[in-house]
Amino acid sequence: MRRREFIALIGGVAAWPLATRAQQPERMRRVAVLVGNAESDRVAQSWLAAFRDALSKLGWTEGSNLRIELRWSADNADKMRALAPPVGEILAP
């Protein structure tokens, strides 16, 4: 084997782990939205549609690289507190 062939072979083997890492699927991100309105509220639905549209324009597509979790409290403060997880749970993967 010639020197140039050997260097090319070693270079290709060294780059192989980088190529493998680049082909892994994109990580799914999770966004939790706590809405103070009822799910049937048209204003809240309009806001949510605008929110999804803005995320889409930034490259975040629900179902491919983003999961949106909706929680509706229907103007009930006790229900809102119950739906909001403690801070430690928010930071957990």
Side-chain angles (χ1 to χ4, degrees), residues 2-75:
R2 295 185 181 145
R3 181 175 179 230
R4 288 184 187 184
E5 293 171 343
F6 179 74
I7 291 172
L9 176 67
I10 296 300
V13 171
W16 179 59
L18 297 175
T20 303
R21 192 174 353 148
Q23 295 174 359
Q24 292 183 5
E26 190 171 354
R27 203 170 120 193
M28 180 75 71
R29 305 293 180 167
R30 180 179 68 165
V31 175
V33 180
L34 182 57
V35 184
N37 303 50
E39 191 170 353
S40 61
D41 187 330
R42 288 185 181 186
V43 173
Q45 289 294 337
S46 172
W47 177 86
L48 187 58
F51 179 67
R52 283 182 168 134
D53 185 51
L55 286 172
S56 177
K57 288 178 183 175
L58 293 170
W60 296 99
T61 307
E62 197 169 0
S64 65
N65 62 357
L66 178 71
R67 186 174 92 206
I68 299 176
E69 292 182 16
L70 296 172
R71 299 175 182 174
W72 303 87
S73 70
D75 296 323

Side-chain angles (χ1 to χ4, degrees), residues 30 32-36 69-73 76-91:
R30 180 179 68 165
V33 180
L34 182 57
V35 184
E69 292 182 16
L70 296 172
R71 299 175 182 174
W72 303 87
S73 70
N76 183 330
D78 291 329
K79 187 173 181 181
M80 185 173 283
R81 276 190 286 282
L83 291 172
V87 174
E89 289 181 26
I90 293 172
L91 300 176

